[in-house]
Amino acid sequence: MQIGTQSAFRPPLAFGLYPVRPPCNPHKGFAKNMIAPSTTDHALRLSEARYRRLFETAQDGILLLNADTAQIEDVNPFLINMLGYSYDEFLGKKLWEIGAFKDTALSIDMFIELKATRYIRYDNLPLERKDGRRVSVEYVSNIYDCAGTDVIQCNVRDNTTRHLAEIALSATSRALKMLSESNLALLSSTTEPILLAEYCRIAVETGGYRMACIALADTGPDQCIQTIALYGQEDGYLAVGPLTWAATEQGDGPIGRAIRSGQVQFSEDIATDPVMTLWRAEALQRGYHSVIAVPFSLPSGMMACLVLYGEKRDVWSAPERKLLQEMAADLAFGIAALRTAAAKVQYEQNLQVSLEQTIQVIADTIEERDAYTAGHQRRVASLCTHIAGELGLPADRIRGLHLAATIHDLGKISVPAEILAKPRRLSAMEFGLVKEHPTIGFEILKKVTFPWPIATIIHQHHERLDGSGYPLGLTGEALLLESKILAVADVVEAMALHRPYRSALGLEAALDEITTHRGLTFDASVVDACLRVFRDQGYHLEV
């Protein structure tokens, strides 16, 4: 949430329609202030019709309110469709009398703040449609003078898709860290109880869940569920009532369903999910607001579940569920390895495959938020592979470089999407935010154990030989060869192809750029290899 005065925030055009503080309401004399006194009535009506057209066809929600009473005086069709209320249900109501704005205290406080500052903004304001579905919006309100009368204009933009993608990416990063630490636990645990306890501890301490447990299905006639490991804030919750996976009301919760079906089961909101009716009061009392049960099969054929209880409502995105399933599958493999004393060599091969798949999941999640960045990363990764091959790097080292390049812009999760897609050159402040992305990517990945220095490669990909790069200003031998390759490939792709703020400069301009700076800012051997890839091998960048 960002709140500020008009002087502190100079808002842009209101989503491309009116200025955020237009001189007047388009339905109460806006055109009169804009047209010379000698203009005919026909011209006046034409002007007002044009602005009414803009208002009614805008692809963002617009509300007009009386600044004294906070009563809604007009609402455009887009907002009506977004929230599911009729025009009459809006008209004449105060903002907090509309069900979408259910937090009455917040709405009233917002109105008081708006009266004082004349401008207020929320980047992620949760609203609820009439049908109960939640949406996340960018919300801007400001007061402007209209012929001596104050009017409130509210602009509402649905950013639910982007908001959910950002949540999914954050959750995926969290699951990645859990997966990495649990893989280390698999390698270091000497007994099954230690392994199970470590998985639960990692879920709570690294994953941020309130409680984690591992439940085992008894194949006896009572079909009971036994808890064989747990960690976190449990407070007797699992002993409140008998747990069963039988097809009964008592066994119809996420754990019972997961064991019976062999599929992941979850409750995103325990407070409202009817499946959690029997356990709701006890769960909420202990601070559980969401739960997910991830089943896995033991070598004996018995079913077990990794169960995680969250402190807040959780979306449980598909990438996060996939990673949790990988984690549970790895746990099953670890148990089997301990029981059969299997060689760890095979596991290490499986671990590498799992880590590579995890990186691809992250790349896919980035694409959901920003398809433009994802396409750039894929092209850079391909070019890196060809340059490294030309330099004679071994296959395993090339593989590590390819994976690092695939997510080298991961840190841009911290940069607002509107800055990344801006159709003009960035301001110094905006570019300063963008320059933080190598460090953000490094911080996300630095504690993840890969067979390759992926976090460091990403951290250094904007460094230059002469120290003119960022974020650390490293020079020469301080840079990994993989980072030097990634730097050249990144520049070539960026110059050769289109960017939001400029047209493509072309491949020859990109190759001339790296040739000019050969041995100065870019490694000479890497530049030479890149030139051979394009000019001798006929390589081309696929759009």
Side-chain angles (χ1 to χ4, degrees):
M1 181 182 75
Q2 297 178 359
I3 301 174
T5 63
Q6 187 70 22
S7 60
F9 284 84
R10 181 75 178 172
L13 289 182
F15 311 132
L17 300 176
Y18 313 122
V20 174
R21 299 188 65 183
C24 192
N25 185 328
H27 319 302
K28 294 189 177 181
F30 178 91
K32 291 181 180 179
N33 288 356
M34 303 297 292
I35 302 175
S38 60
T39 305
T40 65
D41 289 342
H42 173 73
L44 176 60
R45 288 193 299 272
L46 178 61
S47 177
E48 290 183 342
R50 285 172 177 169
Y51 283 104
R52 166 55 70 173
R53 173 72 174 169
L54 287 173
F55 178 81
E56 292 181 345
T57 61
Q59 295 304 295
D60 292 295
I62 304 175
L63 273 174
L64 298 175
L65 285 75
N66 185 296
D68 294 323
T69 65
Q71 288 180 313
I72 297 171
E73 296 183 340
D74 209 349
V75 57
N76 73 335
F78 188 89
L79 190 60
I80 290 172
N81 291 333
M82 181 196 299
L83 298 180
Y85 293 92
S86 69
Y87 182 82
D88 290 338
E89 286 175 314
F90 276 103
L91 205 62
K93 300 289 196 311
K94 295 186 178 181
L95 194 63
W96 48 88
E97 292 175 342
I98 298 296
F101 300 85
K102 280 193 170 182
D103 192 335
T104 301
L106 174 62
S107 298
I108 294 175
D109 288 345
M110 182 196 308
F111 180 64
I112 294 172
E113 179 75 11
L114 180 61
K115 292 282 285 185
T117 65
R118 302 182 73 84
Y119 174 77
I120 195 168
R121 177 188 180 94
Y122 291 84
D123 287 330
N124 284 302
L125 181 69
L127 297 183
E128 189 167 303
R129 289 171 42 92
K130 188 176 181 180
D131 61 12
R133 183 169 65 86
R134 295 184 182 90
V135 293
S136 175
V137 303
E138 294 176 8
Y139 179 91
V140 177
S141 285
N142 70 294
I143 300 177
Y144 59 89
D145 178 75
C146 178
T149 300
D150 281 345
V151 175
I152 297 174
Q153 177 176 318
C154 306
N155 292 83
V156 184
R157 169 169 289 182
D158 187 348
N159 67 355
T160 303
T161 300
R162 189 183 76 198
H163 181 62
L164 291 178
E166 290 172 348
I167 291 175
L169 184 54
S170 176
T172 302
S173 298
R174 174 183 66 180
L176 168 62
K177 293 177 183 178
M178 288 172 55
L179 182 62
S180 174
E181 289 194 31
S182 62
N183 284 332
L184 292 177
L186 283 171
L187 294 174
S188 61
S189 297
T190 55
T191 67
E192 192 171 322
I194 290 175
L195 176 62
L196 298 177
E198 273 296 281
Y199 258 67
C200 292
R201 181 194 64 79
I202 290 166
V204 173
E205 294 187 354
T206 300
Y209 298 99
R210 190 166 181 80
M211 192 266 282
C213 70
I214 295 174
L216 180 65
D218 190 335
T219 56
D222 294 335
Q223 296 180 299
C224 294
I225 296 174
Q226 301 174 5
T227 303
I228 56 177
L230 67 87
Y231 192 89
Q233 193 75 27
E234 192 266 339
D235 290 340
Y237 174 74
L238 297 173
V240 169
L243 291 176
T244 178
W245 56 280
T248 63
E249 184 181 13
Q250 193 74 26
D252 204 34
I255 302 176
R257 286 184 174 186
I259 289 174
R260 287 200 306 274
S261 67
Q263 303 294 320
V264 176
Q265 302 291 321
F266 55 88
S267 173
E268 295 179 348
D269 187 355
I270 290 175
T272 60
D273 191 343
V275 168
M276 293 299 295
T277 300
L278 293 179
W279 302 274
R280 178 176 298 130
E282 297 290 344
L284 296 178
Q285 181 180 332
R286 290 164 176 81
Y288 307 153
H289 290 276
S290 57
V291 60
I292 186 167
V294 187
F296 59 95
S297 179
L298 296 176
S300 62
M302 298 177 67
M303 290 296 296
C305 266
L306 171 64
V307 189
L308 307 175
Y309 292 85
E311 293 182 328
K312 57 184 179 180
R313 293 180 300 192
D314 207 316
V315 177
W316 303 116
S317 67
E320 185 178 12
R321 295 199 303 271
K322 183 177 179 180
L323 289 177
L324 291 176
Q325 285 178 292
E326 288 185 24
M327 185 174 171
D330 287 345
L331 176 57
F333 177 86
I335 293 172
L338 288 169
R339 291 181 179 181
T340 62
K344 289 189 176 181
V345 173
Q346 181 61 48
Y347 167 70
E348 290 172 353
Q349 293 175 354
N350 292 342
L351 172 60
Q352 180 166 323
V353 171
S354 176
L355 290 172
E356 292 182 19
Q357 291 174 343
T358 298
I359 287 177
Q360 189 57 53
V361 168
I362 292 177
D364 292 344
T365 308
I366 291 172
E367 184 166 11
E368 290 181 15
R369 178 178 186 259
D370 183 3
Y372 184 90
T373 297
H376 162 70
Q377 291 182 133
R378 285 195 300 271
R379 290 187 291 270
V380 170
S382 176
L383 179 54
C384 281
T385 298
H386 283 77
I387 295 174
E390 181 67 21
L391 288 171
L393 268 65
D396 182 67
R397 197 170 175 185
I398 293 175
R399 184 59 181 160
L401 171 59
H402 179 88
L403 293 172
T406 299
I407 56 171
H408 72 271
D409 280 337
L410 170 63
K412 287 184 178 178
I413 183 180
S414 65
V415 181
E418 55 266 34
I419 290 180
L420 296 178
K422 221 165 202 180
R424 60 170 177 77
R425 292 199 174 274
L426 302 179
S427 67
M429 183 180 70
E430 290 168 337
F431 186 58
L433 288 175
V434 174
K435 288 174 68 176
E436 292 293 322
H437 79 271
T439 300
I440 299 298
F442 173 78
E443 290 296 326
I444 291 173
L445 296 173
K446 68 179 182 181
K447 292 184 180 179
V448 179
T449 304
F450 294 110
W452 316 277
I454 286 180
T456 302
I457 295 171
I458 289 173
H459 204 194
Q460 294 180 356
H461 78 276
H462 278 291
E463 301 288 355
R464 298 294 181 258
L465 291 182
D466 60 358
S468 62
Y470 62 85
L472 302 176
L474 300 178
T475 60
E477 296 304 316
L479 302 176
L480 296 175
L481 176 58
E482 288 88 343
S483 303
K484 296 173 182 177
I485 295 172
L486 179 52
V488 169
D490 195 29
V491 167
V492 169
E493 195 280 345
M495 290 187 64
L497 300 181
H498 172 77
R499 285 294 179 270
Y501 55 84
R502 62 154 170 79
S503 300
L505 299 177
L507 178 61
E508 286 306 314
L511 298 182
D512 287 344
E513 174 71 9
I514 62 172
T515 301
T516 300
H517 294 88
R518 176 185 180 277
L520 301 175
T521 58
F522 301 119
D523 184 273
S525 63
V526 174
V527 170
D528 293 342
C530 182
L531 294 175
R532 291 195 299 272
V533 164
F534 282 101
R535 291 173 176 166
D536 297 343
Q537 298 180 17
Y539 180 81
H540 64 277
L541 296 167
E542 293 189 8
V543 180

